Amino acid sequence: MRVRASRGLVAAVTTAALALPVVSAVPASADPNPEGLSRSVKVPSVKQHLVKFQQIADANGRTRASGTPGHEASVSYVAGKLRAAGYDVTLQEFEFPFFRELTPSVLDRVSPAAKNYARGTDFRVMTYSGSGNVTAAVQGVDLVLPPSPAPNGSSSGCEASDFAGFTPGNIALMQRGTCNFQVKAENAQAAGAAGVIIFNEGQPGEGPNDRTTLLNGTLNEPTTHIPVVGTTFAVGNELAATGTTVRLAVSAESDLHRKTRNVIAESRKGDPGKVVMLGAHLDSVPEGPGINDNGSGSAAILETALRAGHLPTRNRLRFAFWGAEELGLLGSEHYVDSLSAEEKARIKLYLNFDMIASPNYMLGIYDGDDSDKTGAPAGPAGSGEIEKLFETYYRAIGQPYVGTDFTGRSDYGPFIAVGIPSGGLFTGAEGVKSAEEAAKFGGEAGVAYDKCYHQACDTIANVNDKALAINTGAVATAAFVYAYSRDLPGGGTPGATQAGTGGGGLGADHDHGGVSQ
């Protein structure tokens, strides 16, 4: 059940979220009090940006993916608003390996008994798959069935020798395990396979440790010219039966040198040596308009930027709208890689907002100091202070919250990697809400935080108005607190950090491109 707020409730929550008693959240050195400034960021205006993103997608094939006209129109809209508000706007262009399905893919069992497998439930095309339409026998390659007790017990397809005796023209069936999917696919192609099916390894577990679920994979780059799909363990186990024939059809487009752009907007006020940076990815996946993922974060920081543009802030505000996040944080990585050591040192903190209005939401704060003592380690020094600011905000408006790990699955990753204090908010993606979370936040236990994650149904109707209102207030509060603070979390010079990118905590962080092994 999606939690939807009525118009009256939205108004009430908006008032609560933006007229919050933030005094306790403000460092003693900060002035002016950001409470009044935060009130200037109106949720109806944020919703209008989301409506515009939906209109852009509707006019451009129902997508705003990087490398498509829908993303370019989103870039033009955001950049135009920011220029009109007085920002110095840079459109940072970069090349990236582009991929999308042109038509819905098909996986059907022809024999021993006809069966249709559901795209997105039973199987999914791997990023950078080749195209093809083939009906052929399925041939297992060095499978471990039943699976080993522990993960990575299978090396299926990892060695060229695994294909000794493989019949060219067959479809290679392989199992997740010790090597990445690209190695498997390239070995199969070299052996003459007409297509590739890779199924999850088979060990049950919790969250990302469950190796029975649908495999959402990437080949890392478009070097394979045959169709490649991932499936659940159950589907792979079924297809491993002797005498199985399937039809596998994929029509996809890849381009190693597609161009896209980041939008970087910097205020003309404040100390240029003390940059407070907020970011959100602007692109959607090709399958849908991406209004929660991540129109929600983009719209919230856009409206905050528009309200802050004229202010004589103490510190310099910089807003980033990233391209090609959905293919592996490519825009934010390009940006950080392009900075000199001196430029990195000027960025005192980075705040990331990716999916802040999930329909079956939880209120997650990135665990900057590893206070939950589980999963990924702490972020760079100062990240814990950012976490505490958001905690104080939620407490001030009487809202519960939970910690969520820095798993490296969103655009804070490149900033953490170079030692820049980071933080932000997240309301959940494909992870499933627990009974404990349902009791705390409402909504439905046993259901994904966002049932439309990476799907065509991620439309304006997929946005939870209450979560959007609460988190719009948090975005605005953090922006104005740090815009005027004399004592920023990243007061020192950034350096390399030991912050990890492994899963843990909620295990629900945003998935930009699937696993690669």
Side-chain angles (χ1 to χ4, degrees), residues 454-504:
H454 283 187
Q455 298 180 51
C457 58
D458 187 10
T459 66
I460 194 74
N462 192 47
V463 168
N464 186 290
D465 289 331
K466 181 178 178 181
L468 181 67
I470 290 169
N471 284 329
T472 292
V475 172
T477 297
F480 291 125
V481 164
Y482 289 131
Y484 286 95
S485 177
R486 290 185 176 89
D487 184 18
L488 293 170
T493 301
T497 178
Q498 296 297 315
T501 57

Side-chain angles (χ1 to χ4, degrees), residues 109 111-112 138-140 143 145 173 235-245:
R109 187 176 65 188
S111 63
V138 174
Q139 185 170 346
L143 304 178
L145 294 174
L173 177 67
V235 169
N237 193 42
E238 192 170 76
L239 296 179
T242 302
T244 298
T245 299

Side-chain angles (χ1 to χ4, degrees), residues 94-466:
F94 61 96
E95 289 186 346
F96 73 105
F98 174 82
F99 175 80
R100 66 171 170 174
E101 291 180 68
L102 298 173
T103 59
S105 301
V106 174
L107 178 62
D108 292 338
R109 187 176 65 188
V110 176
S111 63
K115 183 174 183 177
N116 303 117
Y117 294 106
R119 176 174 172 264
T121 302
D122 297 320
F123 79 98
R124 182 175 285 135
V125 175
M126 289 203 173
T127 303
Y128 307 128
S129 166
S131 297
N133 187 340
V134 59
T135 299
V138 174
Q139 185 170 346
V141 178
D142 194 24
L143 304 178
V144 180
L145 294 174
S148 63
N152 291 325
S154 168
S155 61
S156 170
C158 294
E159 311 267 346
S161 59
D162 291 345
F163 292 87
F166 186 84
T167 302
N170 282 356
I171 293 172
L173 177 67
M174 292 176 283
Q175 191 173 10
R176 182 183 183 183
T178 58
C179 66
N180 68 48
F181 302 142
Q182 186 168 350
V183 169
K184 295 174 185 287
E186 289 180 349
N187 284 340
Q189 181 173 261
V196 169
I197 301 169
I198 305 174
F199 64 101
N200 216 338
E201 192 175 5
Q203 297 85 7
E206 297 294 328
N209 296 318
D210 187 349
R211 291 202 168 201
T212 65
T213 57
L214 177 59
L215 203 52
N216 178 25
T218 178
L219 301 181
N220 300 324
E221 56 183 294
T223 59
T224 304
H225 309 298
I226 56 177
V228 182
V229 300
T231 76
T232 63
F233 173 75
V235 169
N237 193 42
E238 192 170 76
L239 296 179
T242 302
T244 298
T245 299
V246 302
R247 177 187 172 219
L248 176 60
V250 174
S251 178
E253 176 186 12
S254 294
D255 180 354
L256 278 170
H257 303 292
R258 187 69 60 97
K259 292 182 179 179
T260 192
R261 297 187 286 183
N262 294 324
V263 180
I264 310 296
E266 184 152 327
S267 67
R268 297 176 180 177
K269 308 290 178 61
D271 185 345
K274 295 181 178 179
V275 174
V276 172
M277 191 165 184
L278 289 78
H281 75 87
L282 187 57
D283 63 318
S284 73
V285 293
E287 290 79 8
I291 303 304
N292 181 41
D293 181 18
N294 182 38
S296 60
S298 295
I301 71 167
L302 174 60
E303 188 59 26
T304 300
L306 298 183
R307 302 285 71 81
H310 68 286
L311 297 175
T313 57
R314 173 170 289 107
N315 305 309
R316 185 68 55 96
L317 285 171
R318 186 180 298 167
F319 296 87
F321 300 80
W322 307 117
E325 188 270 357
E326 294 291 3
L327 288 168
L329 317 183
L330 301 183
S332 54
E333 285 184 350
H334 176 79
Y335 174 79
V336 172
D337 288 347
S338 71
L339 297 175
S340 67
E342 182 181 2
E343 289 168 332
K344 291 172 187 172
R346 291 181 186 140
I347 302 174
K348 301 306 178 184
L349 65 129
Y350 173 74
L351 305 178
N352 193 71
F353 303 101
D354 190 351
M355 302 182 69
I356 63 169
S358 298
N360 195 30
Y361 73 91
M362 54 87 177
L363 297 174
I365 304 172
Y366 287 115
D367 186 10
D369 58 3
D370 195 26
S371 52
D372 64 8
K373 304 301 180 186
T374 185
S383 301
E385 295 175 44
I386 298 170
E387 179 188 5
K388 287 180 175 61
L389 175 65
F390 286 121
E391 289 175 346
T392 303
Y393 165 80
Y394 282 133
R395 287 197 299 269
I397 61 170
Q399 292 294 326
Y401 57 86
V402 292
T404 184
D405 271 354
F406 284 130
T407 63
R409 290 173 58 182
S410 195
D411 290 300
Y412 54 77
F415 290 87
I416 286 177
V418 297
I420 294 172
S422 299
L425 306 173
F426 174 64
T427 55
E430 80 277 31
V432 174
K433 177 175 275 188
S434 67
E436 180 183 2
E437 289 169 340
K440 181 177 288 189
F441 300 108
E444 190 172 356
V447 174
Y449 303 111
D450 185 352
K451 291 190 290 187
C452 289
Y453 175 65
H454 283 187
Q455 298 180 51
C457 58
D458 187 10
T459 66
I460 194 74
N462 192 47
V463 168
N464 186 290
D465 289 331
K466 181 178 178 181

